[in-house]
Amino acid sequence: MTALITATGIGKSFNLRPVLREVSFSLDPGETVLLFGRNGCGKTTLLKIMAGIMRPERGQASLDSRELFTSDSHWRADMIYLGHRPSLYPAFSARENLRLSLRLRRVDWDEISFQTLLERHGLSGREDEPVGAYSEGMLQRLGLIRLELSRWKLALLDEPTSALDADGASLLGETLARWRTAGRAVLFTSHDMLWGAEHADRALHLQRGRIASELASPAAPDLLARLTGET
Amino acid sequence: MAFLTILAKDIRLELRTRESLAAMVVFSLTVVLLFAFAFDFAPDLRGTFTPGLMWLTYFFVAVLGLLRVFGQEKQLEAYDLLLTAPVDRSLIYLGKSTAFFLLLLVAQLLSLPVFVLFLELPLAAAPGYFILILLVTDLAIAAVGGLVAGLSLRAPAGDTLLPIILFPLLTPILIAATKATSAALAGQPFAEWDFWIMLIITFFALFVLAGIFTFDYIAEQ
Amino acid sequence: MQTFHSIRRHQVLLAITLLFAAVNLWLIYEVAPVVAKQEMAQKIFYYHVPLAWNAFLGYTIVAITAGLYLVKHDPKWDIWSLAAAEVATAFALLILMTGPIWATPIWGKSWSWEPRLTTTLVLFVIFLGYFMVREFAGPYERSSRYAAVIGILALIDIPLILTAVTWWAPEVQSHPQMEMANQPSAILRVFFFSLFSFTLILIYMLLYRRYVGALVYRRKIAQGEIDHV
């Protein structure tokens, strides 16, 4: 199978202090991959670079054999990013925010799916409130609804469970499984290693600015051992 | 298409909160009061000072507006939504600059009575030319303003850097707008001051092109 | 250890620059005729105009290297750009000093908003902002890109500022440097010699500053490597 996304030699520094030195990896369609490593090792930086929010100093990447990091913006239609903070306008309601996001991505609005997803995430009846009044957990759920409504081949999720309760986390677990069968690839980070290991097909260990090792179908205890052994 | 989406988004945000517009109009009034108390003009001098004071006030108002229009992208990292969408960076620049242009224009129209009433701006002398000057000057301010605000948006000290970078770049515009306004309202024929309009339009054209080509390099972190 | 001055071609450049500077001084004070009305005050134009030439050449280099930096992502262009910005701004400061020094005895007023001096002042202020952006606008990788954009905007702005301030106060007398072309050839020859000598100084300063800039850059990289491990 040809890889969906390939990144080679990604390098990024802050004030000439390298955070990423030479990161190379690839994801196949339908793969769910966990990116892990210690705090400050550059997980968020890597996701932001792939999403086109940050500019790398070195390296290439291609999505579906289309070159990333160029001034051409079309490749972004196949990729979606959900950060720590959910990228929303606080003064807009949930509906307005999502409609805006979809219009920018040239996806038609689907009211029925929207209502179903609201129901599933327990946000029914609150879709016309400004999201500035939402709690962190509700914002994160709204971010996930945005992913569900959008069209994409690769999603980059930065700590998608950080503010979710147990119910929300298991809901996301089911969603990840559904995306896998639909052939959609996901690269995510998680502070909750057990949850992450449970839902990933593979894990990439980011250490000293490189992918230090790769674990195929990781078992949670293995991962934890690696992490504690790292220091 | 994406340009209109971004423009409509900013207009809608402003209509929802009305924060920027209110702040900009009230600020104009405050500054005019301060000017009036700080400078004790003789009545016959007012005509010569007023266009300059007006444009100076509008420059400060412009900074206020830019900080609001671009600042709202920072809350909840909304800017990432624009950056990760399949939209050219230049369209983000054009969309947001146009939204700011409209905001500035409306704020000015709403605060004009203040200058007419308190500082005796002889607006009735040449209202058509005045609107023309207002339009081209605001376009020029928006062309540079959108670019500099896009740059200071990501900077830790961005809010302080914005006027420091913007004002010196805009000096030709302040001169041209003030001179053109004075001449127009003094009833001078257009042919005697049209070169100021040409200067502003040239400035606008050059900086819009610069913005379209360079915004790509400043939009990302 | 290699230093800037241990490199052969830099030694040669320095020697030629110093020689030209010395001859230039001698020509200006001993050879060039004294202008009747202004006497020694006129001598400052042998400095003032070449300083202005240097500053604006420097700012042009800033914009060109800034463009190359944005397009090619190579830090070497940014080091050039910063070097040119600092050297040009230093020359701009000297223009702002020599202008009033001349104007004080001749016009009886040190600052009269003369168009070219005013343009230099605006540009000087723009570049103060440029250096603030370099310092305060976040990590180097980002602030250097911002600075590059401002460097380009500044160059675009120069003709517009000059046009605006010239029309702004048409009654203000221009400094007579443009009338240099109408001067007797004895003055003109010395003037062009001075222009060339000052360009040598610019080249020397630019190379030196770029050399230091590259050292600082390499040192920071090395420091970053140490901190990282």
Side-chain angles (χ1 to χ4, degrees):
Chain A
M1 190 165 10
T2 48
L4 175 70
I5 185 156
T6 322
T8 32
I10 306 276
K12 171 82 189 169
S13 303
F14 289 100
N15 272 330
L16 303 176
R17 190 174 298 207
V19 172
L20 303 178
R21 283 160 187 278
E22 221 197 328
V23 175
S24 306
F25 65 89
S26 67
L27 258 69
D28 288 335
E31 259 196 315
T32 309
V33 176
L34 170 67
L35 181 69
F36 72 103
R38 276 196 293 182
N39 285 339
C41 73
K43 300 185 292 280
T44 298
T45 305
L46 181 60
L47 290 187
K48 282 190 170 181
I49 287 173
M50 300 314 293
I53 298 168
M54 259 187 201
R55 197 173 267 261
E57 275 98 58
R58 290 177 303 282
Q60 285 93 43
S62 60
L63 175 68
D64 251 356
S65 67
R66 243 189 311 202
E67 202 68 23
L68 271 59
F69 316 142
T70 60
S71 52
D72 171 43
S73 59
H74 295 293
W75 57 269
R76 294 199 188 94
D78 289 335
M79 192 189 279
I80 199 160
Y81 167 82
L82 182 62
H84 290 284
R85 326 251 3 232
S87 296
L88 300 163
Y89 294 93
F92 278 165
S93 67
R95 184 196 302 274
E96 284 171 310
N97 265 302
L98 294 181
R99 285 191 91 121
L100 171 68
S101 171
L102 293 190
R103 199 168 307 135
L104 285 169
R105 305 182 68 87
R106 296 186 202 102
V107 178
D108 290 330
W109 181 251
D110 179 354
E111 181 67 31
I112 296 164
S113 310
F114 177 58
Q115 291 298 341
T116 320
L117 286 163
L118 281 175
E119 186 76 40
R120 195 183 302 159
H121 283 276
L123 295 175
S124 285
R126 307 201 53 178
E127 67 267 31
D128 292 315
E129 272 175 45
V131 300
Y134 276 28
S135 73
E136 291 284 320
M138 289 163 73
L139 290 173
Q140 209 151 38
R141 283 168 183 262
L142 198 56
L144 295 172
I145 296 179
R146 178 164 77 89
L147 256 61
E148 292 261 43
L149 290 172
S150 305
R151 267 200 306 266
W152 45 268
K153 292 176 181 167
L154 171 70
L156 306 161
L157 314 181
D158 197 3
E159 296 285 353
T161 58
S162 62
L164 292 182
D165 49 23
D167 167 59
S170 74
L171 196 58
L172 176 59
E174 288 166 29
T175 314
L176 284 176
R178 207 150 28 74
W179 286 340
R180 183 182 293 121
T181 37
R184 290 166 141 189
V186 176
L187 180 64
F188 71 103
T189 68
S190 179
H191 65 285
D192 185 350
M193 291 302 297
L194 281 168
W195 184 88
E198 192 186 326
H199 294 93
D201 304 322
R202 197 150 62 91
L204 303 172
H205 185 184
L206 189 59
Q207 193 181 18
R208 296 207 177 84
R210 289 190 175 80
I211 302 292
S213 57
E214 197 174 305
L215 292 108
S217 49
D222 273 6
L223 270 178
L224 285 176
R226 272 216 107 89
L227 265 190
T228 43
E230 192 185 301
T231 43
Chain B
M1 176 62 197
F3 164 76
L4 286 179
T5 309
I6 293 170
L7 175 61
K9 182 265 297 177
D10 274 350
I11 293 174
R12 199 165 171 167
L13 265 181
E14 183 49 39
L15 291 177
R16 181 67 43 85
T17 59
R18 293 203 191 90
E19 294 175 326
S20 325
L21 207 53
M24 288 160 84
V25 174
V26 175
F27 183 79
S28 303
L29 180 60
T30 318
V31 173
V32 167
L33 277 179
L34 293 184
F35 275 145
F37 295 139
F39 304 102
D40 192 16
F41 314 124
D44 53 321
L45 274 180
R46 256 171 236 165
T48 53
F49 275 95
T50 304
L53 287 186
M54 184 191 74
W55 279 112
L56 198 59
T57 309
Y58 286 160
F59 267 45
F60 290 122
V61 166
V63 169
L64 217 59
L66 282 172
L67 287 176
R68 306 279 338 169
V69 170
F70 283 80
Q72 65 205 6
E73 301 291 347
K74 283 195 281 196
Q75 301 164 318
L76 296 179
E77 303 290 339
Y79 203 37
D80 291 349
L81 197 71
L82 300 184
L83 290 184
T84 58
V87 171
D88 280 350
R89 308 301 198 211
S90 54
L91 291 178
I92 300 179
Y93 160 72
L94 291 174
K96 291 201 70 71
S97 299
T98 309
F100 164 72
F101 163 76
L102 292 173
L103 181 68
L104 180 61
L105 196 65
V106 173
Q108 285 168 336
L109 292 176
L110 288 178
S111 55
L112 260 183
V114 174
F115 294 97
V116 177
L117 270 174
F118 294 114
L119 296 175
E120 294 170 27
L121 185 78
L123 192 59
Y129 284 138
F130 184 83
I131 295 292
L132 169 74
I133 297 167
L134 212 58
L135 283 175
V136 289
T137 307
D138 288 358
L139 281 174
I141 296 176
V144 198
L147 190 55
V148 178
L151 177 155
S152 60
L153 167 69
R154 293 290 200 190
D159 294 359
T160 5
L161 287 175
L162 175 66
I164 293 179
I165 306 298
L166 185 62
F167 285 163
L169 285 172
L170 279 177
T171 39
I173 294 303
L174 181 64
I175 294 172
T178 306
K179 284 285 180 181
T181 310
S182 301
L185 297 188
Q188 288 181 27
F190 184 60
E192 278 177 29
W193 51 272
D194 60 348
F195 53 88
W196 291 118
I197 302 293
M198 307 293 189
L199 180 78
I200 297 173
I201 292 173
T202 312
F203 184 101
F204 165 70
L206 286 173
F207 278 90
V208 160
L209 284 178
I212 289 170
F213 284 111
T214 59
F215 204 75
D216 203 22
Y217 300 105
I218 59 170
E220 290 161 34
Q221 281 181 12
Chain C
M1 197 182 84
Q2 194 199 41
T3 64
F4 179 77
H5 290 107
S6 69
I7 298 170
R8 187 85 205 164
R9 60 172 194 280
H10 294 156
Q11 293 170 352
V12 174
L13 178 65
L14 177 61
I16 296 175
T17 307
L18 286 174
L19 181 71
F20 268 82
V23 174
N24 193 25
L25 269 179
W26 175 73
L27 284 174
I28 292 170
Y29 290 103
E30 298 296 331
V31 177
V34 173
V35 176
K37 268 190 289 182
Q38 304 197 358
E39 301 196 349
M40 291 312 271
Q42 183 265 347
K43 301 284 190 198
I44 206 162
F45 278 104
Y46 297 110
Y47 303 100
H48 186 72
V49 182
L51 286 173
W53 157 254
N54 273 4
F56 286 86
L57 189 61
Y59 285 136
T60 311
I61 296 172
V62 171
I64 293 170
T65 49
L68 285 168
Y69 177 61
L70 289 180
V71 174
K72 300 211 189 283
H73 310 290
D74 187 340
K76 92 175 171 201
W77 294 118
D78 184 58
I79 296 168
W80 272 111
S81 214
L82 175 60
E86 284 191 5
V87 171
T89 307
F91 281 115
L93 185 61
L94 290 174
I95 304 169
L96 292 174
M97 285 158 69
T98 50
I101 288 176
W102 176 85
T104 308
I106 303 299
W107 288 348
K109 206 159 101 179
S110 47
W111 188 266
S112 57
W113 299 99
E114 192 276 332
R116 280 179 295 260
L117 270 186
T118 309
T119 305
T120 309
L121 180 63
V122 174
L123 212 57
F124 182 74
V125 175
I126 291 177
F127 271 87
L128 291 184
Y130 172 96
F131 293 120
M132 288 184 74
V133 163
R134 283 210 172 256
E135 213 53 48
F136 306 124
Y140 166 78
E141 290 74 14
R142 207 189 310 164
S143 56
S144 59
R145 264 188 278 135
Y146 294 168
V149 170
I150 297 172
I152 294 169
L153 297 186
L155 186 74
I156 299 174
D157 219 6
I158 292 176
L160 296 160
I161 300 169
L162 183 62
T163 315
V165 294
T166 309
W167 290 341
W168 166 53
E171 70 283 2
V172 171
Q173 195 180 353
S174 276
H175 278 179
Q177 56 260 58
M178 284 307 175
E179 286 81 72
M180 269 291 176
N182 306 327
Q183 300 286 344
S185 62
I187 286 183
L188 217 52
R189 270 200 298 269
V190 176
F191 168 73
F192 279 113
F193 188 86
S194 185
L195 194 64
F196 183 72
S197 307
F198 271 94
T199 311
L200 282 178
I201 295 175
L202 173 76
I203 293 169
Y204 171 76
M205 287 176 75
L206 207 54
L207 287 173
Y208 200 175
R209 183 63 188 88
R210 189 217 65 94
Y211 187 85
V212 174
L215 277 183
V216 170
Y217 181 80
R218 279 205 295 273
R219 210 192 100 127
K220 277 192 187 155
I221 293 249
Q223 192 64 45
E225 293 289 330
I226 294 164
D227 290 352
H228 193 73
V229 181

